């Protein structure tokens, strides 16, 4: 409300009270008040309909508000929606990297599921740094997201781990959801690849092809995923009389695979090995490039394996032996668990892996490996 005045012979005179016209948005778009006026309802009723408040609105009023919004081409404000519902239709995804096909495939699945649930996806890249995860989460919480997905291996001994869990629990206490894509932590739900079991199966499979002395090229040992996959390989090889003779660590990406393999070539660490097992497919690709640069033929002079079965694993030369995980489906399942908790039937979803034997691990007993 405001007091209106007009100019008279004796100067400015008050004329009473009048209603201020609704202000337009900065871009000139219609406001919530415009929609309410066209629909013939109160702004509060229009807000409950358009911002998906938990308070019920009669079907007739609801239809009038939605029709008015379409006619005016009204777009709800996310902050207003968050105020009305307590959360905004935002699903936040924290990933270690976006150039790693592993996380790209998971993100694609998350986006598909989020769209079906009427949510948009916000992505933060954390570089496998728990401190950056914590900073990103605190920033994202200002958007009042409906849910947060934390993808990537947990880092053992990180000084930020407890603070991160505290932030996630606070989000849950405020009505949101938090889900890990990876090993569960702090009692929060998770969708996780069965890394230990799958790596054990891979070790058993390559030992069955006659490869008994493995060098592992992988990420830092403080990553839980690295520990699980390395231990699984040890167990699988040992069951057939094989063993891991060396572990070389570097960044958990293609460049890390290249650097680690070059060091092994320089110090003679590959001389006694008959298979190089990379911690993921991205590292395996870098490792194969390093082998060629060092005068060795991947799949002939030494076998090579990866992990995850990214989309290009079957396209590289030689085709890469790896462990298949349905990465997009893992992302979809995590998003469903966050946005519709009853959809997955559990709070801890374990996803099994499947060994894919290809040309990069020939059968030393004779014959070429069959993909399975």
């Amino acid at each position: 409300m405001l007091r209106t005045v007009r100019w008279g012979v004796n100067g400015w005179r008050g004329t009473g009270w009048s209603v201020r016209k609704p202000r337009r948005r900065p871009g000139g778009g219609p406001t919530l008040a415009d929609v309410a006026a066209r629909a013939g309802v109160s702004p509060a009723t229009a807000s409950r309909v358009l911002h998906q408040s938990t308070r019920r609105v009669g079907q007739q009023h609801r239809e009038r508000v939605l029709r008015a919004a379409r006619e005016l081409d009204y777009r709800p404000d996310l902050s207003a929606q968050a105020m009305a519902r307590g959360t905004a239709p935002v699903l936040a995804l924290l990933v270690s990297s976006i150039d790693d096909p592993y996380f790209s495939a998971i993100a694609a699945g998350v986006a598909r599921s989020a769209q079906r649930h009427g949510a948009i996806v916000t992505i933060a890249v954390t570089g496998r740094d728990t401190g950056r995860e914590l900073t990103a989460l605190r920033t994202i919480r200002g958007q009042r997201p409906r849910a947060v997905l934390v993808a990537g291996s947990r880092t053992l001994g990180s000084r930020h781990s407890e603070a991160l869990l505290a932030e996630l629990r606070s989000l849950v206490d405020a009505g949101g959801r938090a889900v890990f894509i990876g090993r569960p932590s702090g009692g929060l739900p998770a969708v996780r690849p069965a890394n230990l079991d799958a790596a054990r199966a891979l070790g058993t499979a390559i030992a069955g092809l006659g490869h008994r002395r493995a060098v592992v090229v992988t990420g830092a040992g403080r990553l839980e995923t690295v520990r699980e996959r390395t231990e699984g390989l040890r167990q699988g090889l040992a069951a057939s009389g094989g063993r891991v003779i060396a572990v070389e660590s570097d960044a958990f990406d293609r460049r890390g695979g290249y650097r680690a393999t070059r060091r092994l070539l320089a110090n003679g660490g590959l001389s006694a090995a008959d298979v190089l097992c990379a911690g993921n497919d991205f590292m395996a690709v870098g490792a194969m490039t390093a082998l060629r640069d060092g005068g060795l033929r991947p799949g002939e002079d030494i076998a090579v394996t990866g992990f995850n079965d990214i989309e290009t694993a079957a396209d590289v030369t030689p085709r890469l032996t790896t462990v298949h995980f349905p990465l997009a489906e893992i992302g979809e399942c995590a998003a469903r668990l966050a946005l519709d908790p009853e959809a997955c039937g559990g709070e801890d979803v374990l996803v099994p892996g499947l060994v894919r034997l290809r040309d990069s691990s020939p059968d030393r007993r004779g014959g070429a490996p069959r993909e399975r």
Side-chain angles (χ1 to χ4, degrees), residues 221-233:
R222 65 181 183 276
L223 297 176
E224 289 186 347
T225 295
V226 168
R227 291 196 174 193
E228 287 183 325
R229 293 179 180 179
T230 303
E231 179 57 26
L233 282 167

Side-chain angles (χ1 to χ4, degrees), residues 78-362:
L78 285 181
S79 60
Q81 193 172 73
M83 289 293 291
R85 298 188 61 202
T87 61
V90 172
L91 176 62
L93 173 63
L94 276 59
V95 295
S96 299
S97 171
I98 55 173
D99 60 355
D100 186 332
Y102 174 87
F103 292 108
S104 299
I106 286 175
V110 169
R112 285 200 298 268
S113 184
Q115 184 177 25
R116 288 194 293 268
H117 287 85
I120 61 173
V121 178
T122 296
I123 296 178
V125 178
T126 61
R128 294 189 176 87
D129 184 328
T130 310
R132 288 175 62 181
E133 285 181 335
L134 179 60
T135 300
L137 178 59
R138 286 172 172 167
T139 301
I140 287 169
R141 286 198 62 194
Q143 302 176 14
R144 298 189 183 186
R146 189 184 305 176
V148 172
L149 305 180
V150 183
S153 177
R154 297 298 86 212
T155 302
L156 298 170
S158 170
R159 62 189 178 91
H160 299 291
S161 295
E162 286 303 318
L164 179 71
L165 284 175
E167 284 288 336
L168 292 171
R169 291 192 188 104
S170 179
L171 171 75
V172 173
D173 291 342
R177 290 276 292 176
V179 175
F180 284 104
I181 301 177
R183 284 182 61 86
S185 183
L188 295 172
V191 178
R192 55 189 176 110
N195 285 311
L196 181 65
D197 292 344
R200 186 187 300 117
L202 177 61
T204 300
I206 58 177
L209 295 173
H211 306 286
R212 302 300 172 85
R213 299 177 307 280
V215 167
V216 176
V217 171
T218 190
R222 65 181 183 276
L223 297 176
E224 289 186 347
T225 295
V226 168
R227 291 196 174 193
E228 287 183 325
R229 293 179 180 179
T230 303
E231 179 57 26
L233 282 167
R234 290 186 194 277
Q235 294 177 10
L237 287 163
S240 298
R243 62 192 178 94
V244 173
I245 61 175
V247 177
E248 189 72 20
S249 299
D250 207 296
F252 211 28
D253 55 25
R254 184 188 62 78
R255 291 184 293 273
Y258 182 88
R259 288 192 299 261
T261 304
R262 291 293 291 179
R263 290 196 298 271
L264 288 167
L265 287 166
N267 63 26
L270 292 178
S271 59
D274 54 24
V275 59
L276 184 154
C277 299
N280 61 34
D281 294 342
F282 222 16
M283 291 195 82
V285 171
M288 288 197 292
T289 301
L291 290 173
R292 292 190 184 93
D293 289 350
L296 295 179
R297 296 166 297 174
E300 296 183 45
D301 298 320
I302 186 170
V304 179
T305 70
F307 217 94
N308 294 330
D309 199 20
I310 61 175
E311 194 170 271
T312 56
D315 297 328
V316 297
T317 302
R319 297 184 309 147
L320 183 62
T321 288
T322 185
V323 172
H324 173 79
F325 283 114
L327 300 177
E329 287 81 359
I330 286 174
E332 288 191 60
C333 181
R336 285 200 309 273
L337 186 58
L339 299 172
D340 184 8
E342 298 180 359
C344 285
E347 294 285 275
D348 185 5
V349 182
L350 185 64
V351 182
L354 178 65
V355 175
R356 302 281 197 194
L357 294 177
R358 299 188 178 118
D359 300 333
S360 69
S361 60

